[in-house]
Amino acid sequence: MSHAPSEATMAEIAKLIGFDTTSRDSNLPLIDYVVGRLDALGIDSSLVHNAEGNKANLLATIPAADGTRSGGIVLSGHTDVVPVDGQTWSSDPFVPEIRDGKLYARGTCDMKTFVAVIMAKLESIARAKLDEPIHLAFSYDEEVGCIGAVDLVAAITEAGLKPRGCIVGEPTSMRVVRGHKSVNVIRVDFHGVAAHSSLTTQGVNAISAAAEFTAFVDSAARDFAQDGPFDDAFIVPHTTTTVNQIEGGIAVNTIPAVCTLHFEFRSIADDDPIELIERFRLEAKRIETAMQERNPEAHVEFEVLAKTPGLDTPEEAGIVALAAQLGGTASPDKATYGTEAGLFFNAGIPTVVCGPGDIAQAHAPDEFIALDQIVQCEAFIDNLIVALSA
């Protein structure tokens, strides 16, 4: 195996990173570029836009040699990146730079390199006499709650593509990961009643209500840690929950009328996230009732902002063996972070996460990917083309 990535791959990485696709901005310039590359090879693609029309998912199928478009393997990646705001970089985060065998830029690791390797291999895929199709699924807004992939996976289902497996190329150091926790983000707004702090009986303290809810979340976290259920394939082998943002109050001498908190929980497969959401919702309702006994104008709003399903692909699934055969490193571990893989899994598509780069570099200043990881990913895609060819 070569120890240096191909010039074609490095050019594609530079091209994709040059598009600033921070989640708050549009990804359409990048998507338009991909569409142009596909069009030039006669490969049809369809776009699934967001409601505002400023972002899009891309779905494309390279059919089998006999024209078959169903079955086959999905190669999935997100096109957005996290912000560089407030981070100190040693070089321009949107211009890749090689230093000491590593390629530095925002998105090198998470996860434009995987998409770039596929782009560099497009001609090879299009030329191959495929026994079964390869589907490309590139999404928007993964970094803010796997938002785009919901409609992307729905489009795959509606098109009747029925792939036999999916590979999500998030950074796993090319290990084959078949499981991760669900990720659920919830906002709770506590609306009390303002009053001068010398007249506490006339007010309803929204911060106190939020603190009560926080104590409930902390108690639930202790119960998960103590009573399980447990899955030792995870670094933290149980469901977790934490309050991570809280904001309220306007002055030290005013009973606060409003307090907002955001909390998350990450559940293992043996905990049902729908049941957990309901448990937290009931506690918010109990607190609301207590607030309204003091003043009927008080109320609590409970909103689920993101609900990314977990991934729990069985060890014996064909996609697990295929990914290992292609050069992915077999591993019993499950990922600590959430991905779009759970959405594919929930749609009945056996899915693994396997991609170049170390998740420890993701989102960090001076994000990088080791060049040998890029080489391994190139070999992986080459092997896929061979494995699916007549």
Side-chain angles (χ1 to χ4, degrees):
M1 187 185 293
S2 165
H3 295 294
S6 71
E7 287 182 17
T9 294
M10 295 300 279
E12 290 291 349
I13 294 172
K15 185 81 180 174
L16 297 186
I17 282 168
F19 297 110
D20 180 354
T21 53
T22 304
S23 304
R24 62 183 170 230
D25 300 320
S26 174
N27 73 333
L28 290 181
L30 185 154
I31 291 292
D32 290 343
Y33 165 70
V34 175
V35 169
R37 288 286 317 281
L38 292 168
D39 283 350
L41 293 167
I43 300 167
D44 294 334
S45 55
S46 59
L47 302 186
V48 183
H49 287 84
N50 64 344
E52 296 76 20
N54 66 334
K55 297 180 182 182
N57 302 303
L58 178 142
L59 178 60
T61 296
I62 299 100
D66 65 1
T68 301
R69 302 181 67 83
S70 60
I73 301 297
V74 178
L75 298 176
S76 166
H78 65 80
T79 60
D80 60 319
V81 296
V82 296
V84 298
D85 305 27
Q87 295 185 340
T88 303
W89 284 68
S90 305
S91 54
D92 187 330
F94 297 103
V95 179
E97 183 174 297
I98 296 172
R99 300 194 296 274
D100 300 324
K102 298 166 184 167
L103 185 66
Y104 290 83
R106 172 58 83 226
T108 48
C109 169
D110 186 15
M111 60 168 294
K112 287 181 173 176
T113 291
F114 181 76
V115 176
V117 170
I118 295 166
M119 297 302 295
K121 303 291 182 184
L122 276 182
E123 284 80 3
S124 299
I125 297 172
R127 275 199 313 268
K129 300 272 193 290
L130 296 174
D131 276 335
E132 48 187 320
I134 292 176
H135 312 280
L136 307 182
F138 300 153
S139 68
Y140 68 86
D141 278 6
E142 188 272 347
E143 295 291 8
V144 289
C146 298
I147 291 168
V150 174
D151 291 339
L152 180 56
V153 172
I156 290 171
T157 302
E158 287 160 18
L161 296 179
K162 295 184 170 60
R164 68 176 175 98
C166 173
I167 298 165
V168 177
E170 288 272 13
T172 66
S173 301
M174 295 307 294
R175 292 182 304 118
V176 182
V177 172
R178 56 181 185 83
H180 63 66
K181 297 178 182 180
S182 79
V183 183
N184 307 267
V185 180
I186 298 164
R187 170 183 170 138
V188 193
D189 294 296
F190 298 88
H191 296 272
V193 176
H196 192 280
S197 60
S198 66
L199 301 167
T200 54
T201 53
Q202 295 182 12
V204 180
N205 192 315
I207 288 179
S208 293
E212 200 174 335
F213 188 85
T214 299
F216 180 84
V217 171
D218 289 347
S219 173
R222 287 191 296 273
D223 289 344
F224 293 138
Q226 182 178 309
D227 303 328
F230 300 100
D231 183 342
D232 290 332
F234 289 106
I235 292 174
V236 180
H238 50 77
T239 297
T240 60
T241 183
T242 51
V243 174
N244 292 332
Q245 280 183 298
I246 195 159
E247 184 181 359
I250 59 167
V252 74
N253 61 353
T254 304
I255 302 293
V258 181
C259 187
T260 295
L261 68 76
H262 289 77
F263 77 102
E264 64 156 39
F265 70 85
R266 296 175 181 243
S267 61
I268 66 172
D270 287 342
D271 274 325
D272 182 349
I274 294 170
E275 288 179 10
L276 292 179
I277 286 171
E278 202 50 38
R279 189 194 301 180
F280 289 116
R281 193 192 304 276
L282 284 172
E283 175 62 9
K285 190 71 186 168
R286 186 195 67 75
I287 292 171
E288 179 183 63
T289 301
M291 294 170 75
Q292 288 175 342
E293 285 172 1
R294 299 186 60 187
N295 190 316
E297 291 181 12
H299 63 282
V300 177
E301 295 169 8
F302 186 98
E303 183 185 1
V304 180
L305 300 179
K307 198 163 57 174
T308 305
L311 173 68
D312 195 33
T313 299
E315 201 170 349
E316 62 275 11
I319 191 66
V320 177
L322 175 64
Q325 173 197 333
L326 301 179
T329 308
S331 170
D333 298 337
K334 295 179 180 178
T336 55
Y337 49 91
T339 76
E340 295 167 333
L343 293 164
F344 290 94
F345 174 73
N346 263 20
I349 304 168
T351 301
V352 294
V353 186
C354 184
D358 185 336
I359 192 65
Q361 312 308 327
H363 303 193
D366 283 350
E367 176 183 346
F368 70 80
I369 189 168
L371 296 180
D372 62 359
Q373 285 284 303
I374 305 175
V375 175
Q376 284 184 48
C377 185
E378 289 178 315
F380 184 92
I381 299 298
D382 284 338
N383 291 341
L384 175 69
I385 297 167
V386 171
L388 300 189
S389 295

